[in-house]
Each structure stands twice: as C-alpha cells, then as structure tokens.
Amino acid sequence: MIINRNSEFLFGFQATMTNPNGDPDQENKPRMDYDTSTLLVSDARRKRDCRDFLKNKGYQIFVDTLADKKVPMDTMFEYVRDSWLGDKKRMEQLFAENQSLKQAWEEMLGRDENYKEAYLNKLEELKSSKKTKELATVNNLFLTEIIKRSLIDIRLFGSAMAVEGVTRTYTGPVQISWGYSLHPVELVRSSTITSIMNEDSSTFGKKYKVYYALVAHYGTMNKYSAKLTGMTEEDRDLFRHALVQGLMTNQTDSKQGQEPLFYLEIVYKPEYDVYLGDLRRFVDVKENKEDDASREVTIRSLNDLTVDFHGLNQVITDLKDKGYIEKVIGWIHPVAQEGRLLNIPAFDPVDLWEPIQRGE
C-alpha cells in the first residue's frame, strides 16, 4: 500500500575515534563547521549507506555502479531497461497490470513479443530520423513502472532523469537533512600514520578522526511524493532498517566506531499535512558536569553528555492531545537505554536490528 501518512524522524548515532564523512576538498578530514566545532555529515553519506545495505540484501539500486565502474545515468537506465525488455514473462505481467502502457506500446511498437528487439529497432529508426521524442510517451510510462516495481532507492530518495526523450524529476518521499553533532567536537590531534609496504620502503599518509561525536539527522516522509514514486508502507519499513543497519554495514577503517543510538518517528494521521520541523531543536544536549558547573569536561563518550528530550516530549504530547498524531515509533540502542537519554517520548517499539527479507 502506498503510504498515506506524513511522518518525520530523528536519527542519532555516535562516532568514536572515527571519520563519519570525509571532505575530499579538505584532505578527507571530517566535515566540520570550524567556527562552532560542529561535525557535519551529508545526506548523501546516509543515503549511500542505505543504498549499499539494500543492494547487499538483493534489492536493485539505480544510483549504483556497473561492473564496479561508475556510469552515467543514461547507461544505467539502458541496463535496467534492457533487463526488463529481455524478460518476456515480466513484460507480459507489466502490460496486464498497466493498460495505458500496453496501449501506448502497441501503438508505437506493435505486438511483437520480442520486446527488446522491437524496442531497439524502433529506437534506431527514430534516432536516424532524429525523432526519438516520439518514444517519450512509452518511455515515460515504462520508466515510471520500472521505478515503482524494481528501483527501491528511487522510490525512497527520488532522482532527476533525462533519458531517451524523457526528462523527469522524481522528488523523493524520504528527505534527510545534513546531520550535525549536538555538541562541540575535537579532531584527534595526531593524524599521521605509517604504512610499511616492504622492508626497503614505506609510505606515509594521514588519517583524520574525531574523538567523539553524537550526531543527529532529521528527516521527513511525504505521502504526496510517495504517490509519484510508488513508495509503500513496506518501503518505509525497509528504509528504517536500512538507516540503522546500514550505518554499521560499512565497516571500513575510517567508519568503524559508528553506532546507531536512537530512531524516533512521528507518524501523523492521514488528514494531517504539515510537520513540526527539525526535531533536533527540541533536544537539549549539555556537557555532563555532575553538579559541578565549574568542572571542565572533555567529551569522549556518551557518558560525558546529558541528552534531554523533554522539549520533544512536550510538543508530541500537545499534538497528540489535538489528535494530529497517529503514533510514535522508536528504537533505542541497548547502550543508550541505561539512563543516557532523558525524557524520551513514549513510543511503540520496533526492532530495527531485525534482519530484513532479501529482495528478488
């Protein structure tokens, strides 16, 4: 079922002696707002983790490589398109379930059941006469169906496409903000490492990491955009799992040390169209001075912080009283359940560590 309720979420993770998002323009140092000592993490980093996780689980990804090589969008589209055209059974099922596409296809390409040959021959014919736009209607309908049926990352995050006479922008129902640390962070002071290649030579390089950061991303899921990409309730559940589990799938040297801490999602009733907005504004994070205000705190773990959700708890209660919220769902890492996060709003627990089913 296509999602018919807006929701917004808050995802927090901790990064210990790691580099959550290197900046290639700054020697791959962690992305930082140096004026405020705030660590930054792009939305692209989060989406890449989700895509990699879903790909590993057998789901087809559009923003991907072919044979380990980056390819332009039209090449990837041709690959996906041809995999469909070469599968007669799947094409017949597609036509049976979409009469508009079947009618447009037969008007342009006839009833030849060798779909791939018929399409490519027609395409070459139109290219030679510079009339490929005549395929726009078929491509438009075909592209939309491919996305809805097989490309989970486009259903979630959207994409702009310009292929074979069709220019379409699919706004992603899932939008993720840049993440930032909820407190000032410090870069590890020593960044030089030595990598010994053999007995006669060695190479020197640098690795940049932060001591500790509690990072939070805010995001939304939009029911209107979901209608255009075909994002379903099943997709929403897949995304939640991919967001949490994908963070730990990429266990590279620079990423080891990242752990998801919490996921909270406010699901609104179908008739409610707006959002609270960035939920991080309602979370108060302070250095843990243990009742000694003059105490200097060096932040090296969650134990050095007090994370208070009182403000978020209050606004959720207000919206619940007005009948706007259908439910709040949540997941908390065991390490954060020991009194580290204060005044967490009441939520329906979901197990986001539960293994997901493999895609086809």
Side-chain angles (χ1 to χ4, degrees), residues 65-294:
T65 58
L66 287 178
D68 294 328
K69 293 182 179 178
K70 293 182 179 179
V71 295
M73 184 178 296
D74 54 349
T75 301
M76 180 59 78
F77 172 69
E78 288 174 4
Y79 171 79
V80 176
R81 179 200 66 195
D82 291 349
S83 70
W84 271 81
L85 293 174
D87 189 334
K88 182 181 176 182
K89 185 177 179 181
R90 192 156 60 157
M91 288 297 292
E92 289 175 346
Q93 183 177 355
L94 180 62
F95 288 145
E97 295 175 357
N98 190 319
Q99 291 300 308
S100 297
L101 174 59
K102 181 181 180 182
Q103 183 179 348
W105 182 281
E106 290 181 349
E107 289 176 356
M108 178 59 64
L109 301 160
R111 297 188 177 185
D112 188 345
E113 293 186 354
N114 189 333
Y115 301 113
K116 185 175 181 179
E117 183 176 293
Y119 182 93
L120 295 179
N121 287 341
K122 189 67 176 181
L123 182 60
E124 285 303 313
E125 174 189 326
L126 294 175
K127 278 184 176 178
S128 62
S129 59
K130 299 182 179 179
K131 295 180 178 178
T132 54
K133 288 187 177 179
E134 292 185 10
L135 267 179
T137 301
V138 169
N139 276 338
N140 196 3
L141 292 169
F142 190 32
L143 182 63
T144 301
E145 286 300 316
I146 288 176
I147 289 171
K148 288 182 175 179
R149 293 166 186 264
S150 62
L151 298 174
I152 177 69
D153 59 334
I154 306 299
R155 292 203 302 273
L156 294 174
F157 305 131
S159 181
M161 295 185 178
V163 292
E164 303 295 2
V166 177
T167 301
R168 288 288 303 270
T169 298
Y170 295 93
T171 300
V174 177
Q175 296 291 324
I176 307 175
S177 71
W178 275 48
Y180 59 78
S181 61
L182 301 179
H183 56 89
V185 304
E186 292 179 68
L187 291 176
V188 175
R189 296 182 184 89
S190 175
S191 56
T192 303
I193 56 95
T194 303
S195 177
I196 299 175
M197 303 301 292
N198 54 52
E199 293 182 353
D200 300 323
S201 65
S202 62
T203 58
F204 292 87
K206 288 188 175 180
K207 294 180 181 178
Y208 298 95
K209 299 185 178 186
V210 295
Y211 284 109
Y212 181 81
L214 170 58
V215 181
H217 289 269
Y218 165 73
T220 56
M221 300 189 209
N222 186 279
K223 58 189 176 186
Y224 297 116
S225 297
K227 290 181 180 177
L228 302 178
T229 68
M231 179 182 169
T232 64
E233 288 291 345
E234 183 182 11
D235 294 337
R236 174 157 30 200
D237 189 55
L238 274 175
F239 166 72
R240 293 164 180 156
H241 285 77
L243 186 65
V244 169
Q245 296 185 33
L247 185 79
M248 302 193 73
T249 300
N250 190 16
Q251 289 290 312
T252 62
D253 178 71
S254 66
K255 298 295 180 290
Q256 195 168 46
Q258 295 184 152
E259 295 171 323
L261 282 182
F262 58 84
Y263 178 87
L264 293 171
E265 181 181 337
I266 303 171
V267 182
Y268 293 99
K269 291 188 175 178
E271 62 273 22
Y272 192 75
D273 286 333
V274 298
Y275 301 98
L276 266 175
D278 197 332
L279 301 180
R280 293 171 292 194
R281 296 172 300 166
F282 303 104
V283 181
D284 186 24
V285 177
K286 295 179 179 177
E287 299 171 0
N288 186 3
K289 295 180 180 293
E290 296 180 343
D291 299 327
D292 181 359
S294 63

